């Protein structure tokens, strides 16, 4: 799919080395990337650059413009961080892949974004499970230039540490998933993408906005917290913000009473549509129905 990470009970994919340090950061080793690895970045970057005008939200586009991201080489995290930090206080640090939840949250709570050091193989251009440098940097870092997203993701890190202790991490992770990873937002000229899992995926950039199959539903916190998600395929429903400022209100919401209410309500499967939903598009469901019939 789109290289978006999700709660991985097993912690790490097979083949990864031992934790290199307590906070799991490693050296990016920028000069060690091969020409083939830079070429993979270029292929992905150019493909998304063609698809995203008129699809990505304004804040993504302006974040992208102001960052030292080149089409033809994997970015150097130090150079990138120097620009990002001046804007929003965030830095990008290299990690080998998925890191344990508490390590991930601690980085976010301190405005350090852990980015996969590696890049996907040429046979994985459209699908990989672990977040690589293209998903993490191209997908997430432009939005981290935006003060609202900068604050929201930090709050997610702080909330994640608490939610873990309270045994409600699944509920919080759904909010992250349907916003930071797969969120859509209403803008002046129509529906736009702000989720990193979508902007870093060629197929989902089109599917999420234009396909008749998925539902597009107005974002409501408790509704989203009840809704399971798919990690291995396109989403069956996307949740739509009226504007990105809604994330700022969310960052300052006390989730404890919300967790308590949501735990008393039934969990929803990804394709459910409720009578109380504000439905922008009622999806045909055809894409996932065809998959299930296979
Ligand atoms: N690690 N590198 C990395 N990137 C993620 O997005 C990530 C992670 N570890 C855990 C995690 N995400 C999720 O399980 C939490 O957001 C719940
Ligand atoms: Fe991600």
């Amino acid at each position: 799919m789109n290289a978006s990470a999700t709660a991985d009970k097993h912690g790490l994919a097979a083949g990864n080395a031992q934790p290199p340090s307590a906070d799991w950061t490693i050296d990016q080793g920028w000069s060690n990337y091969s020409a083939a690895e830079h070429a993979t970045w270029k292929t992905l970057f150019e493909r998304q650059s063609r698809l995203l005008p008129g699809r990505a939200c304004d804040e993504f586009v302006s974040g992208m413009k102001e960052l030292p991201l080149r089409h033809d080489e994997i970015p150097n995290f130090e150079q990138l961080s120097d620009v990002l930090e001046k804007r929003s206080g965030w830095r990008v640090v290299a990690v080998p892949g998925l890191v344990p939840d508490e390590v991930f949250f601690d980085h976010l709570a301190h405005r350090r974004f852990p980015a996969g050091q590696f890049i996907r193989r040429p046979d994985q251009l459209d699908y990989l499970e672990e977040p690589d440098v293209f998903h993490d940097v191209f997908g997430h870092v432009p939005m981290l230039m935006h003060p609202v997203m900068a604050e929201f993701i930090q709050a997610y890190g702080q909330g994640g540490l608490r939610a873990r202790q309270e045994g409600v991490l699944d509920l919080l992770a759904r909010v992250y998933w349907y916003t930071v990873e797969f969120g859509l937002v209403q803008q002046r000229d129509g529906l736009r993408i702000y989720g990193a899992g979508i902007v870093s995926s060629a197929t989902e950039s089109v599917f999420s906005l234009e396909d008749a199959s998925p539902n597009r539903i107005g974002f409501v916190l408790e509704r989203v917290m009840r809704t399971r998600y798919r990690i291995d395929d396109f989403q069956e429903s996307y949740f739509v913000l009226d504007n990105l400022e809604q994330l700022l209100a969310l960052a300052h919401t006390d989730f404890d009473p919300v967790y308590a209410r949501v735990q008393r309500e039934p969990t929803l499967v990804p394709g459910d549509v409720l009578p109380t939903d504000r439905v922008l598009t009622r999806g045909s469901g055809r894409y996932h129905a065809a998959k299930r019939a296979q």
Side-chain angles (χ1 to χ4, degrees), residues 99-174:
V99 301
D101 289 342
E102 70 276 19
V103 174
F104 184 62
F105 295 140
D106 188 67
H107 281 301
L108 301 185
H110 293 92
R111 297 205 177 204
R112 292 185 301 264
F113 195 79
Q117 180 274 344
F118 72 100
I119 193 152
R120 66 196 73 182
R121 297 191 312 261
D123 61 314
Q124 298 173 311
L125 288 192
D126 297 308
Y127 175 90
L128 86 164
E129 294 252 336
E130 272 204 81
D132 73 340
V133 62
F134 187 74
H135 167 78
D136 280 333
V137 172
F138 186 97
H140 285 286
V141 176
M143 289 307 293
L144 283 173
M145 293 281 277
H146 185 49
V148 167
M149 189 57 95
E151 188 153 335
F152 182 69
I153 300 191
Q154 180 185 20
Y156 176 72
Q158 294 163 334
L161 295 169
R162 268 197 311 276
R164 218 174 133 255
Q165 287 160 1
E166 295 166 18
V168 290
L169 186 51
D170 290 359
L171 305 185
L172 182 63
R174 290 173 187 154

Side-chain angles (χ1 to χ4, degrees), residues 20-267:
S21 57
D23 69 359
W24 284 71
T25 59
I26 56 175
D27 213 37
Q28 186 190 8
W30 187 82
S31 54
N32 297 330
Y33 289 121
S34 67
E37 288 173 321
H38 288 301
T40 298
W41 170 276
K42 180 170 189 267
T43 301
L44 293 164
F45 190 102
E46 289 179 346
R47 190 165 69 167
Q48 287 316 97
S49 300
R50 275 192 300 276
L51 284 168
L52 291 179
R55 292 195 175 95
C57 69
D58 298 339
E59 291 76 5
F60 179 89
V61 173
S62 63
M64 182 62 79
K65 222 179 284 168
E66 290 164 40
L67 284 166
L69 287 176
R70 290 166 49 127
H71 73 111
D72 59 349
E73 62 182 35
I74 297 171
N76 180 313
F77 292 177
E78 284 294 317
Q79 289 169 10
L80 195 63
S81 295
D82 290 343
V83 175
L84 177 63
E85 189 170 28
K86 285 201 188 85
R87 175 61 60 86
S88 68
W90 278 81
R91 294 193 67 85
V92 178
V93 295
V95 292
L98 282 171
V99 301
D101 289 342
E102 70 276 19
V103 174
F104 184 62
F105 295 140
D106 188 67
H107 281 301
L108 301 185
H110 293 92
R111 297 205 177 204
R112 292 185 301 264
F113 195 79
Q117 180 274 344
F118 72 100
I119 193 152
R120 66 196 73 182
R121 297 191 312 261
D123 61 314
Q124 298 173 311
L125 288 192
D126 297 308
Y127 175 90
L128 86 164
E129 294 252 336
E130 272 204 81
D132 73 340
V133 62
F134 187 74
H135 167 78
D136 280 333
V137 172
F138 186 97
H140 285 286
V141 176
M143 289 307 293
L144 283 173
M145 293 281 277
H146 185 49
V148 167
M149 189 57 95
E151 188 153 335
F152 182 69
I153 300 191
Q154 180 185 20
Y156 176 72
Q158 294 163 334
L161 295 169
R162 268 197 311 276
R164 218 174 133 255
Q165 287 160 1
E166 295 166 18
V168 290
L169 186 51
D170 290 359
L171 305 185
L172 182 63
R174 290 173 187 154
V175 180
Y176 188 83
W177 191 263
Y178 283 118
T179 57
V180 173
E181 294 293 354
F182 292 95
L184 299 178
V185 60
Q186 200 69 60
Q187 295 203 315
R188 222 177 26 256
D189 300 321
L191 211 52
R192 293 289 183 270
I193 306 162
Y194 72 92
I198 310 178
V199 287
S200 61
S201 162
T203 46
E204 198 153 2
S205 302
V206 176
F207 179 87
S208 64
L209 290 178
E210 284 143 68
D211 204 276
S213 191
N215 304 303
R216 300 177 185 88
I217 300 171
F219 182 94
V220 173
L221 177 61
E222 296 188 26
R223 160 63 158 100
V224 165
M225 264 193 197
R226 293 173 58 193
T227 312
R228 289 170 39 202
Y229 54 81
R230 317 188 64 102
I231 65 165
D232 58 342
D233 206 338
F234 298 144
Q235 302 305 304
E236 286 181 63
S237 295
Y238 297 91
F239 292 93
V240 181
L241 297 177
D242 296 324
N243 53 67
L244 290 176
E245 270 57 45
Q246 277 181 277
L247 294 176
L248 204 54
L250 274 184
H252 296 288
T253 299
D254 177 5
F255 277 18
D256 281 346
V258 188
Y259 294 143
R261 283 196 297 276
V262 167
Q263 281 177 306
R264 280 185 247 113
E265 291 173 345
T267 300

